[in-house]
Amino acid sequence: MASRLEINFIRLLSLCEGLASEKRGETEWRLEKYVGALEEMLVALRKCHSKPTAEVLTEYSRKVDFLKGLLEAEKLSSKTEKALANQFLAPGRTPTIANERMPATKTVHMQTKARCNEEMRDELLGTGVSGKGTSNKDLRNRRGLPLDERQSAAELEAVLQHHHNLQEKLADDMLNLAKNLKNNSLAAQNIIKQDNQTLSQSMRQADLNFEKLKTESERLEQHTKKSVNWLLWLMLILVSFTFISMILFIRIFPRLR
């Protein structure tokens, strides 16, 4: 179950995505203020006891960073810089709410790229966008542009698309690398855990063998002491018997003269 803080965060994030998809004027202030509130709520979510999983928090952070980057790109003065900045933005990978077929940030990214490319193309070709009141003369002038200018615009679009594809590939490679590192770390952790268990069992077995060896050594020492005592008494008895026998022999058989 999502906490109340997470539910409020999702609602505000969905509202920001809706505002970002609309064409805003220079006096529009709500999106920037709401994105600042999203950052504060994201920090609170990370510190919350019932916080979401690490993957969900990463996706939330990705969407908030996308909205921040979108606002920073809109503040750039040059249309070319805006287009390049939008190319390097990374939208979210999952929908924010359940009824979204495509992530809203990805839709906003596509709309923003198309709008920036159109503005940059108009700036490059020397024509101004005057809204819905574009005259037929402007359209005829645009169609009558020299071939090299149209080729330059096409080449620029190709370069921008190439950079976007490189960015997507780099993001996918980094994600795969992170997954591989996580799997390798888990495998290494399991191996270390098994090695620790084996080492603990070996130490317990060594302690048990040491105790057995100590017991057998004590028994052998006692047995050795008993054997030495019996041998000593046997030697004393033998020497005593030999001495007494010699005395008796001398007494019984006197020396011949």
Side-chain angles (χ1 to χ4, degrees), residues 117-136:
N117 290 337
E118 183 68 25
E119 293 176 357
M120 186 175 59
R121 188 185 305 112
D122 293 336
E123 183 181 15
L124 179 64
L125 300 179
T127 59
V129 179
S130 58
K132 296 181 180 179
T134 305
S135 62
N136 294 329

Side-chain angles (χ1 to χ4, degrees), residues 2-238:
S3 62
R4 183 175 297 274
L5 178 61
E6 185 178 2
I7 294 174
N8 294 334
F9 177 83
I10 293 174
R11 290 176 179 173
L12 184 58
L13 179 59
S14 179
L15 177 61
C16 290
E17 291 172 347
L19 290 175
S21 63
E22 300 173 357
K23 191 172 182 179
R24 300 177 303 282
E26 296 180 356
T27 59
E28 178 62 42
W29 55 270
R30 291 181 299 169
L31 182 59
E32 186 172 0
K33 189 174 182 63
Y34 291 166
V35 171
L38 278 176
E39 291 184 277
E40 296 177 358
M41 295 175 71
L42 184 60
V43 173
L45 267 179
R46 289 194 177 100
K47 297 179 180 179
C48 184
H49 293 290
S50 58
K51 63 181 180 181
T53 60
E55 290 79 6
V56 176
L57 284 174
T58 302
E59 182 66 17
Y60 288 162
S61 178
R62 185 185 182 93
K63 293 180 179 180
V64 173
D65 291 339
F66 170 78
L67 293 173
K68 285 173 57 182
L70 188 65
L71 290 173
E72 292 175 358
E74 289 179 353
K75 295 178 181 179
L76 298 175
S77 58
S78 173
K79 292 182 175 59
T80 305
E81 293 178 354
K82 288 183 180 180
L84 290 175
N86 277 284
Q87 287 289 336
F88 288 101
L89 292 178
R93 298 180 180 272
T94 59
T96 303
I97 54 180
N99 58 358
E100 289 180 357
R101 294 184 178 180
M102 181 185 294
T105 51
K106 192 170 184 179
T107 304
V108 173
H109 192 211
M110 294 171 63
Q111 293 174 351
T112 307
K113 283 197 302 180
R115 185 163 56 248
C116 290
N117 290 337
E118 183 68 25
E119 293 176 357
M120 186 175 59
R121 188 185 305 112
D122 293 336
E123 183 181 15
L124 179 64
L125 300 179
T127 59
V129 179
S130 58
K132 296 181 180 179
T134 305
S135 62
N136 294 329
K137 183 178 179 180
D138 293 335
L139 293 175
R140 285 195 300 270
N141 291 335
R142 185 177 299 176
R143 290 172 185 171
L145 287 172
L147 181 61
D148 56 349
E149 293 185 0
R150 282 181 288 176
Q151 289 178 350
S152 299
E155 290 175 359
L156 182 59
E157 288 184 0
V159 170
L160 292 176
Q161 185 64 32
H162 177 67
H163 282 293
H164 176 69
N165 294 336
L166 287 178
Q167 182 187 5
E168 290 291 334
K169 183 179 179 181
L170 180 61
D172 293 337
D173 292 341
M174 292 179 65
L175 181 61
N176 293 330
L177 180 61
K179 289 181 179 179
N180 291 334
L181 288 175
K182 181 179 179 181
N183 294 332
N184 292 337
S185 63
L186 291 176
Q189 184 179 1
N190 292 331
I191 293 174
I192 293 173
K193 186 176 180 180
Q194 293 176 0
D195 291 343
N196 288 334
Q197 292 178 354
T198 304
L199 181 62
S200 299
Q201 294 177 357
S202 299
M203 292 180 65
R204 287 195 296 268
Q205 187 66 32
D207 293 338
L208 183 61
N209 293 337
F210 179 76
E211 292 295 333
K212 291 182 178 179
L213 181 61
K214 184 178 179 181
T215 303
E216 294 298 328
S217 299
E218 292 176 353
R219 292 176 59 187
L220 180 61
E221 185 178 359
Q222 293 177 359
H223 181 70
T224 304
K225 289 181 179 180
K226 290 181 179 179
S227 300
V228 171
N229 290 335
W230 280 107
L231 183 61
L232 180 61
W233 282 107
L234 182 60
M235 292 296 294
L236 289 175
I237 293 172
L238 183 60

